[in-house]
Structure formats: structure tokens, C-alpha cells
Amino acid sequence: LHSHILSYHIIIYTATTSTSWTTKPIITMADTPTPTSQADPNSFATSMTLSEKWCIDFHALTHHHQSHNNTSNDDNIKNNTSRHVEGILLISSPISKIYADHPTAYDALTNTAKDATSKKGATVALADYAARILSEILPIPNDQSTASSSSSLPARVQTLAQARHHHANQIQSQKKRYSARPKKTRGGVRDSELPYVLERTDCCIVEIDGEERNNDKEKVLQFYLHGEFAVPNEGGDSISSKEILDGILSRTLTSVLQTLSEELTSHKCFAHIAAVVLQRRLRSMLQPPRNNHFDNRGNSTSTDQSYLDAVAFLADGSLLPRKSGRSILPMASPPAIPFYSPEGSEKLTRVVTVEVGSFWRKFLNDDGSVAMQRRERQQQQQQQQQQKDEEINHSKNNANDDDDNNSNNTADNNKTTVTMRGMIIPKGVTLIVGGGYHGKSTMLQALSYGVYDKLPGDGRERCVTHADAVSIRAEDGRYVNRCNVSAFISNLPGMRKKNKNDTHQTTTGGGGPPDTTRFSTKDASGSTSQAANVIEALESNASALLVDEDVSAANFMARDGRMRAMIMDEPITPLLYRVNGLFLSKEHGVSTVIVVGGVGEWLDVADSVVLMKEYVAYDGLAKARSVSYQFSYGHVQYAGKGVVHRLSWGVMEDKSGGMDAEEVKEEKERGPVTLSPLRRRPEEVCVLERFRDAAIHLMESGSSRLWLYRDDHGRDVLENGESGCGIVNQDDDDGIVDMSKCSQLVGNASEQLYGCGICILWLLRQSQLHPEEDLMELLHRMEVALDNGGMNELIASAEMKPSPDDANTTINKRNSSSLLSSHTALDLWETVGYAYRPRRHEVAMALTRMRGMTFEILPEKPLEDGKLSKEEEERLEAERRKKALADLWNNRRKK
């Protein structure tokens, strides 16, 4: 048994759910041969290729729950001459072999681009297209096929998502047998493919070290499938290689892979990739990369590149509205009105030229739209030209026309850029105003999903938003732990007049007022939750905040002059007062895009205004400034601290007034009094005890709730009153993550939410290895790992023993069985099928919303010699502004 484990890496996994799997490799990759000298005689392993292009690796799976629940089926299998085998197929092929007959396509996919993000986008789009084609050519079989005996069961190969849905349908059909009135189901969002192009776990491009090309990285397309077939029942556990080859490769995979190879070299595939490359290049032109100190992900840092200094770009002719509130499909036009940029607006309207490369340019029109029918259109033009030539009936003119056409076609093939006209959302504070049902929220939704690449035909495939834009809204009841919300909430009752003998509480509902610099609560209100959302977006290094007035807390957004006169000691500082200082802050420089329809005071702080009227966009900045000047809101003072709507973002105001010397000393010992997020990280008790060896579980299929529970050898409830979290007297909801209010999760959120859970497990493991790093640094480390190895890299390393060398190890250096034998991978394939890669912002949202997760505050990093702290720089800047304002007033008095 020991030699068998060493040879085949057999892992037996017992999960807390009703299903558990055993993995055993049957066919191994050609580059990782299994030593037959140590093999079990009842096992089989061999190297296998198909058409000298595709390599297949099969790992058998065993559903243990079937042996307990379906004993009659087991008796039938024992009496038959064959048995049912189920497993995971890992199929791979180098891109150089796929595009051996298309050298220009291979060069476009693998050459070194000016902006590495477009190169990454091309490979991501290729894997996404391959996954979509596989879901089309591998349909789900009907449920009746499983009712037949195992001897007559045909070979079945499905995608992991299809296998998961097929298993769910089987369970549902069994429930219907005992239900007198079965429930009727209806289609949802997932009736059609999601229009977003994201990295995924079931189909991806990996890089393998090459030896023949000067140690260059060889790009390989890998995808995972689910296979079921019947094998002879003779010889115990032995599996016939001939049966495997005949049952799977010959009957199923040969035609599947042949069709896939043809599709990957089709015009539709190249147009799919070209659309993504265009979006990546356009997105990189919006603004320079943020925090070059952390940006090592291949983004362009060239200083000679011109930027639009914008948050987003919306191209003319785009279809922003959807068919309905539940649909992801575009609304037909008419009645939908295509978007066009405001006429005559120098601030909002731009003409952009985007470099996409000569190969991808052939599949795009001059305005950047996808030329899906270019070949058909060229054939039609040629036929029209031939008819015209026949009417002229002049052979010389015909020859000249042909020469002209050939030269024109050559010129078109040499083009490398596309030129688009559209509207930008400039950096700063931008308002989207207008009456009800005039398209304000529709535009904001397009901006919200503009952080993702979209399919051709979505209608918004030429609308891009900076990748770090984050949607902000109120989130009543959310969990918050040690978040510095003092920029928006401060001076709570009792904070200055507390008893000296009272212990300062950091959570609500304790023996004193909460400390808003380390605010914690299990049930946040609308205003406190939205304040925490803003601060945590800054913590994850967001570039812009997308806010809709309709889903925000009214007292957090603004407060008019009458309420300021009525309530003088309001502890809430509205977002209205902070947006300008947040953008002008040297530390953050975060823009804000706000949909406004009810509070006119926002006109005082706007740098740009988009006026929506009957779904048509206009530049409303001039009118907004006229209205603002007419009502003179900008001259109102706020507690003597400057113009009411333009508070600076810097060091927290001095709160020592009314305190004695001892209280002032205590406040200084608590740390810096900054408005920005404090450096924090998961506490050691969460990493080593509470969520150690955690497993991921979706609360409900298609829901936005995740549960990370401690997997103590498959026991949901431990002895001695301990819960699944492993600690006595913990709340029952510890480990639950509610992401239902996080609107930028794609689709029904299951696949990307599961990806967030995978990233959280990886972050907790890295937090143990790097105790000096804060959350932002851990998120950066996660993105580097994702860029180097993808989601499967995190899955394969999440359960390995922590080692400092993990940072330099990728999945390509490990055996592929480390992924196939991973508990997390098996759970993923069985529950969801595959996972999408989330942004670091959604991962941070999930981690900070996980109930029971507590954070520790880290000290500020030591400063370099001669460098001032952020607080000192902000204090000096505030003094400089005060002096400049005083000099201005003195000069006016002299005049």
C-alpha cells in the first residue's frame, strides 16, 4: 500500500457533506511518467497522446455515498460483468501545436506586447472560448441513461458544470418520486452563458518551462472534463487499457477534440479574442497604474504613454440597457436607444485611437466593433464587383480593378489601430443626474460591470471601467471588525465624557461607546455599513467609488442646511463633505461617480456632470455650477472648519479639547489619528484555530452566501460543546459570508463567490507565513500568485504544509496530481463545477464580512531617513493651505 501511494498519489478524502471522492490516476501525462516498478499490479498507468497533439490524464473518482444509499445497484454491479467508473479527465495541448498551421495567430498570442495586460487578455479569452465551445459540443445526456445497467452504460464525457447540474437533477428527480405535488421550476439568469470573459479553473492557459527554446515558457491549454464509462468487472480493481482507449478516446474524445481544434482556429474565435484585447488595451489607457510600488503584474509603467485621465470610457453606439431586470441579455434596438457621447462637450467627449496589433485588427471594424460577418461581407462585395465588371465588359478595367482591390485589402491588413468616439468619465467627482427612468442607474450599472471584459454582442463590449473601481452601497446588518470609520463617524455620545474607570470598548453594545478608529459591530446600520464599505475600498486600493443614491443611506450621503441648523453635534460626517478631499488626497486620489436625483447639494462638489434626459447624455456641468452659485451653498461654513462641502482628507481633527492630561496621554498611546485605513491583518487565533483547515460550502445553490467552516475530520459538531469552528462558545454564524449586496459579483455569484472562498483559504495560509504583512500586502501577494499560476495554483497550494519556499513555487513545478487530489478541488468540482477568478476587492469584501473573523492592528512601518510620515505631510499641507487662504483674504482687504 505504501508503494502504491508513492506511485499513484492516491488520496482518500472524507468530507462533511454526503458525498466523498477517492482519486486514483489511470492515464498519466506523457511528461510525468509513473514508475511501473513501484506500481500496484492491480493498477494501470501509461503515457497517452491523441493525434500527436492532445495529452490525456485520467483520475478515477468513487462516490462513497452511493455504496450506502444504493445497495441494490451495488448488487447488480457485482452480478454483472462490468462496472461503472467515473473520473476527471485532464486534457492539454501546447498552443504551438494547436496553431501550427497558423503562425500569425500563434505570434499574436505569445509575442511580447507593449502592454502585458493585452497579452494576458488574449490567453484568457482563448481559454474562455474553448470552455464555451466544450459546453456546446458536450451536451448533458438525459436522466434515463443512468437507469440502465452498468454493462450497457455508454461512455459519457461532460464538462464539470454539466456533470454537477446532471447530479443535481438526479437528486431532484429522486425527491419528486416522493412528492405528490412536485414544484415547478423556472429558468433564471444562467439559462444563457454569462457575457463576461474571466479566468476560470476548468479551462486555462498555463506556462511550462521549455528546454528547446532557450528556457522560454511554453503556453499550454488545459481543461478538465468529467468522464463516465463501463469497464470489465474481472480482475478486481484492474482496468483494461483497451477498454479505456476504445470507450473514451476513440468513441468520444476523438470527435470532440477534432471539433475543438477546428473551432479554436475559426474566425469566430479570433474575433472573440480581438474584442477582449481591445478592451484590455482601452482599459490600460484610462489612467496610470496605481501604486507602482505594488504593481508588479505586468502593467505598463511607461512614462511616455498618454492617458485619458478617466475612470471609464463609453463608446458611441453601445447598448447599455438589458432586456429586463433579471436578464443579462441586451435590449433590442429599437426600442433601446444606443448611447452617444454629448455633442460639443470638450470635457466629456473623446476620440480614442487604440493599438491592437495587425492580426487582431483584421477582426475589428474601424470603430472597434467586432467584424463577425467580415468574410461574408467581402464575398458579397466581390460578387457585386464582378457583376459591375461584367456590365462594363472591359477586361483591362477588370484587371485594374482587381489590382486596386488587392492593394486596398493589403492596406487593410496592415492596419494596427482602431479609432472610437465616445464619452469619458473624468477623474474627480462626477455626477450622473436626471429625472426618474431616464437612464441614470443603467449607465452606472454599465460602469460597474465595465471592470470585466465582455463578449462580442453584449452591447457593452466597448464600454470599459478602470479595473479597480468599486461599487459602494448601504448594507444593513453586515459584520465589521476594527475598521477605522472616524472619517465619517466620530464624537459619539460619551466618547469624551466616559468614566476613567471604564474600559474603552471597541465593539457596540458594550460597557462604553465604540471607538470609531477601531469600529466593530455584528449588526451595522445603513450609515455605518456604508462608511465601512468606503474605508475598506480604500484599504484594497480602489481607484474609484461608484455610488447610487437609491441604495445608499440618506444620512450618510448628505445633510441639508436646515438639518445642520437643527442638529449641531451630528456624529456623522456625510460622504458629500469628503469626496473632494478624498480625490485631492496624495495618499488615495480616489474618484467618485454618483447617481443623484434628489439632493441638489451634490452640485457644489462636482467636477463633471452627466445629464441624462430621455436616455440621451448631455454635459450638465455649466448648468450645475450656475445652480450652485445661485443657491450659494458653497459659502456655508461647517463648524468653523472650512466650506461645508469640501473638507480635506488628512489627519483627524484634534479631539483633546475637554480632556485632562491622562486622557490626552491615553489617546496618543492608541496610535495615529488618521482618517485613512489602519494597517490590519487576520488575528492569529483565526489563522491557527478558528478557521484552520477550513472547508468551503455554499449556503444555497445560486445564492450569494458562503460558509467557511473548520473541517475537523468530517465532524460538523464536535464533542464537549465545540462547534465546527473548533472553539467553545462561538456563535453559530461564524464563518458565514453574506455577499448579496456586493453587486459586482458576476451572474448568480456562485462561481466567483466560490473563487473568493478559495482565495480566503490561501490568504489565511499566507498570513501565517508572513506575520509582518498587512491585508493590502497579502492581497498583492495573492494577485501575483494568480497572475503566475492562476486559480488552480491557489487550490493546489491551499492544503500543502506551509513553507517559506511556496512563493517561488508554481503549480507547473508540482505534480499535476496535487491539484487532482486536493480536497478543495474535489469539493469545487462536485458543488459548483468551476470557479471564476475574483478581483482582490471582492476577496477583501468576503474576508472582512466573514463573521467571526477578527483583525489585529499593526504598527505603522518605520520611515526612511529624511522622509516625513503621512500624518506630518498632511499636517504641513493643511497649514500651507491655511496660510495661502489667509494671504488671499489679506490681499483682498488691501484692495
PDB file of all heavy atoms in Angstrom, residues 239-253:
ATOM      1  N   ILE A 239      -8.209  -2.208 -14.459  1.00  0.00           N
ATOM      2  CA  ILE A 239      -8.936  -1.516 -15.513  1.00  0.00           C
ATOM      3  C   ILE A 239      -8.221  -1.766 -16.829  1.00  0.00           C
ATOM      4  O   ILE A 239      -7.009  -1.578 -16.930  1.00  0.00           O
ATOM      5  CB  ILE A 239      -9.037  -0.011 -15.227  1.00  0.00           C
ATOM      6  CG1 ILE A 239      -9.799   0.210 -13.916  1.00  0.00           C
ATOM      7  CG2 ILE A 239      -9.718   0.725 -16.359  1.00  0.00           C
ATOM      8  CD1 ILE A 239      -9.895   1.654 -13.538  1.00  0.00           C
ATOM      9  N   SER A 240      -8.947  -2.201 -17.831  1.00  0.00           N
ATOM     10  CA  SER A 240      -8.366  -2.527 -19.118  1.00  0.00           C
ATOM     11  C   SER A 240      -8.008  -1.258 -19.872  1.00  0.00           C
ATOM     12  O   SER A 240      -8.842  -0.372 -20.038  1.00  0.00           O
ATOM     13  CB  SER A 240      -9.354  -3.370 -19.930  1.00  0.00           C
ATOM     14  OG  SER A 240      -8.907  -3.524 -21.252  1.00  0.00           O
ATOM     15  N   SER A 241      -6.783  -1.191 -20.337  1.00  0.00           N
ATOM     16  CA  SER A 241      -6.372  -0.032 -21.117  1.00  0.00           C
ATOM     17  C   SER A 241      -7.098   0.017 -22.452  1.00  0.00           C
ATOM     18  O   SER A 241      -7.464   1.088 -22.931  1.00  0.00           O
ATOM     19  CB  SER A 241      -4.853  -0.083 -21.344  1.00  0.00           C
ATOM     20  OG  SER A 241      -4.517  -1.244 -22.098  1.00  0.00           O
ATOM     21  N   LYS A 242      -7.329  -1.132 -23.059  1.00  0.00           N
ATOM     22  CA  LYS A 242      -8.035  -1.164 -24.340  1.00  0.00           C
ATOM     23  C   LYS A 242      -9.460  -0.656 -24.178  1.00  0.00           C
ATOM     24  O   LYS A 242      -9.986   0.067 -25.023  1.00  0.00           O
ATOM     25  CB  LYS A 242      -8.043  -2.587 -24.903  1.00  0.00           C
ATOM     26  CG  LYS A 242      -8.696  -2.712 -26.281  1.00  0.00           C
ATOM     27  CD  LYS A 242      -8.601  -4.138 -26.779  1.00  0.00           C
ATOM     28  CE  LYS A 242      -9.165  -4.230 -28.189  1.00  0.00           C
ATOM     29  NZ  LYS A 242     -10.550  -3.793 -28.276  1.00  0.00           N
ATOM     30  N   GLU A 243     -10.111  -1.018 -23.065  1.00  0.00           N
ATOM     31  CA  GLU A 243     -11.471  -0.550 -22.838  1.00  0.00           C
ATOM     32  C   GLU A 243     -11.504   0.958 -22.656  1.00  0.00           C
ATOM     33  O   GLU A 243     -12.420   1.632 -23.123  1.00  0.00           O
ATOM     34  CB  GLU A 243     -12.050  -1.231 -21.602  1.00  0.00           C
ATOM     35  CG  GLU A 243     -13.494  -0.893 -21.316  1.00  0.00           C
ATOM     36  CD  GLU A 243     -14.436  -1.467 -22.355  1.00  0.00           C
ATOM     37  OE1 GLU A 243     -14.040  -2.432 -23.039  1.00  0.00           O
ATOM     38  OE2 GLU A 243     -15.550  -0.946 -22.476  1.00  0.00           O
ATOM     39  N   ILE A 244     -10.512   1.465 -21.964  1.00  0.00           N
ATOM     40  CA  ILE A 244     -10.451   2.915 -21.768  1.00  0.00           C
ATOM     41  C   ILE A 244     -10.242   3.627 -23.103  1.00  0.00           C
ATOM     42  O   ILE A 244     -10.933   4.591 -23.423  1.00  0.00           O
ATOM     43  CB  ILE A 244      -9.333   3.271 -20.778  1.00  0.00           C
ATOM     44  CG1 ILE A 244      -9.664   2.726 -19.393  1.00  0.00           C
ATOM     45  CG2 ILE A 244      -9.129   4.778 -20.723  1.00  0.00           C
ATOM     46  CD1 ILE A 244      -8.575   2.943 -18.392  1.00  0.00           C
ATOM     47  N   LEU A 245      -9.278   3.154 -23.875  1.00  0.00           N
ATOM     48  CA  LEU A 245      -8.992   3.800 -25.153  1.00  0.00           C
ATOM     49  C   LEU A 245     -10.183   3.700 -26.102  1.00  0.00           C
ATOM     50  O   LEU A 245     -10.545   4.681 -26.752  1.00  0.00           O
ATOM     51  CB  LEU A 245      -7.752   3.167 -25.781  1.00  0.00           C
ATOM     52  CG  LEU A 245      -6.441   3.359 -25.016  1.00  0.00           C
ATOM     53  CD1 LEU A 245      -5.315   2.662 -25.733  1.00  0.00           C
ATOM     54  CD2 LEU A 245      -6.134   4.825 -24.844  1.00  0.00           C
ATOM     55  N   ASP A 246     -10.804   2.523 -26.190  1.00  0.00           N
ATOM     56  CA  ASP A 246     -11.938   2.351 -27.102  1.00  0.00           C
ATOM     57  C   ASP A 246     -13.167   3.112 -26.611  1.00  0.00           C
ATOM     58  O   ASP A 246     -13.912   3.678 -27.412  1.00  0.00           O
ATOM     59  CB  ASP A 246     -12.273   0.859 -27.252  1.00  0.00           C
ATOM     60  CG  ASP A 246     -11.166   0.106 -27.956  1.00  0.00           C
ATOM     61  OD1 ASP A 246     -10.323   0.789 -28.593  1.00  0.00           O
ATOM     62  OD2 ASP A 246     -11.119  -1.127 -27.846  1.00  0.00           O
ATOM     63  N   GLY A 247     -13.386   3.069 -25.271  1.00  0.00           N
ATOM     64  CA  GLY A 247     -14.609   3.660 -24.733  1.00  0.00           C
ATOM     65  C   GLY A 247     -14.580   5.164 -24.665  1.00  0.00           C
ATOM     66  O   GLY A 247     -15.612   5.805 -24.836  1.00  0.00           O
ATOM     67  N   ILE A 248     -13.408   5.737 -24.384  1.00  0.00           N
ATOM     68  CA  ILE A 248     -13.346   7.196 -24.212  1.00  0.00           C
ATOM     69  C   ILE A 248     -12.673   7.863 -25.400  1.00  0.00           C
ATOM     70  O   ILE A 248     -13.273   8.706 -26.062  1.00  0.00           O
ATOM     71  CB  ILE A 248     -12.606   7.548 -22.908  1.00  0.00           C
ATOM     72  CG1 ILE A 248     -13.391   7.026 -21.712  1.00  0.00           C
ATOM     73  CG2 ILE A 248     -12.419   9.040 -22.791  1.00  0.00           C
ATOM     74  CD1 ILE A 248     -12.779   7.376 -20.399  1.00  0.00           C
ATOM     75  N   LEU A 249     -11.438   7.497 -25.681  1.00  0.00           N
ATOM     76  CA  LEU A 249     -10.675   8.203 -26.703  1.00  0.00           C
ATOM     77  C   LEU A 249     -11.288   8.018 -28.076  1.00  0.00           C
ATOM     78  O   LEU A 249     -11.566   8.992 -28.772  1.00  0.00           O
ATOM     79  CB  LEU A 249      -9.225   7.718 -26.688  1.00  0.00           C
ATOM     80  CG  LEU A 249      -8.481   7.874 -25.362  1.00  0.00           C
ATOM     81  CD1 LEU A 249      -7.040   7.458 -25.519  1.00  0.00           C
ATOM     82  CD2 LEU A 249      -8.567   9.298 -24.871  1.00  0.00           C
ATOM     83  N   SER A 250     -11.527   6.766 -28.477  1.00  0.00           N
ATOM     84  CA  SER A 250     -11.978   6.503 -29.838  1.00  0.00           C
ATOM     85  C   SER A 250     -13.399   6.985 -30.061  1.00  0.00           C
ATOM     86  O   SER A 250     -13.677   7.702 -31.024  1.00  0.00           O
ATOM     87  CB  SER A 250     -11.874   5.005 -30.138  1.00  0.00           C
ATOM     88  OG  SER A 250     -10.543   4.565 -29.993  1.00  0.00           O
ATOM     89  N   ARG A 251     -14.313   6.641 -29.159  1.00  0.00           N
ATOM     90  CA  ARG A 251     -15.723   6.921 -29.405  1.00  0.00           C
ATOM     91  C   ARG A 251     -16.102   8.363 -29.089  1.00  0.00           C
ATOM     92  O   ARG A 251     -17.023   8.894 -29.690  1.00  0.00           O
ATOM     93  CB  ARG A 251     -16.610   5.992 -28.581  1.00  0.00           C
ATOM     94  CG  ARG A 251     -16.514   4.527 -28.989  1.00  0.00           C
ATOM     95  CD  ARG A 251     -17.758   3.786 -28.530  1.00  0.00           C
ATOM     96  NE  ARG A 251     -17.974   3.892 -27.094  1.00  0.00           N
ATOM     97  CZ  ARG A 251     -17.591   2.959 -26.221  1.00  0.00           C
ATOM     98  NH1 ARG A 251     -16.933   1.892 -26.642  1.00  0.00           N
ATOM     99  NH2 ARG A 251     -17.826   3.113 -24.939  1.00  0.00           N
ATOM    100  N   THR A 252     -15.422   8.994 -28.172  1.00  0.00           N
ATOM    101  CA  THR A 252     -15.874  10.302 -27.712  1.00  0.00           C
ATOM    102  C   THR A 252     -14.845  11.393 -27.938  1.00  0.00           C
ATOM    103  O   THR A 252     -15.113  12.386 -28.621  1.00  0.00           O
ATOM    104  CB  THR A 252     -16.237  10.239 -26.223  1.00  0.00           C
ATOM    105  OG1 THR A 252     -17.161   9.179 -26.022  1.00  0.00           O
ATOM    106  CG2 THR A 252     -16.863  11.547 -25.762  1.00  0.00           C
ATOM    107  N   LEU A 253     -13.659  11.232 -27.391  1.00  0.00           N
ATOM    108  CA  LEU A 253     -12.706  12.335 -27.377  1.00  0.00           C
ATOM    109  C   LEU A 253     -12.157  12.659 -28.753  1.00  0.00           C
ATOM    110  O   LEU A 253     -11.789  13.806 -29.008  1.00  0.00           O
ATOM    111  CB  LEU A 253     -11.561  12.017 -26.419  1.00  0.00           C
ATOM    112  CG  LEU A 253     -11.921  12.017 -24.932  1.00  0.00           C
ATOM    113  CD1 LEU A 253     -10.696  11.754 -24.093  1.00  0.00           C
ATOM    114  CD2 LEU A 253     -12.562  13.329 -24.533  1.00  0.00           C
TER     115      LEU A 253
END
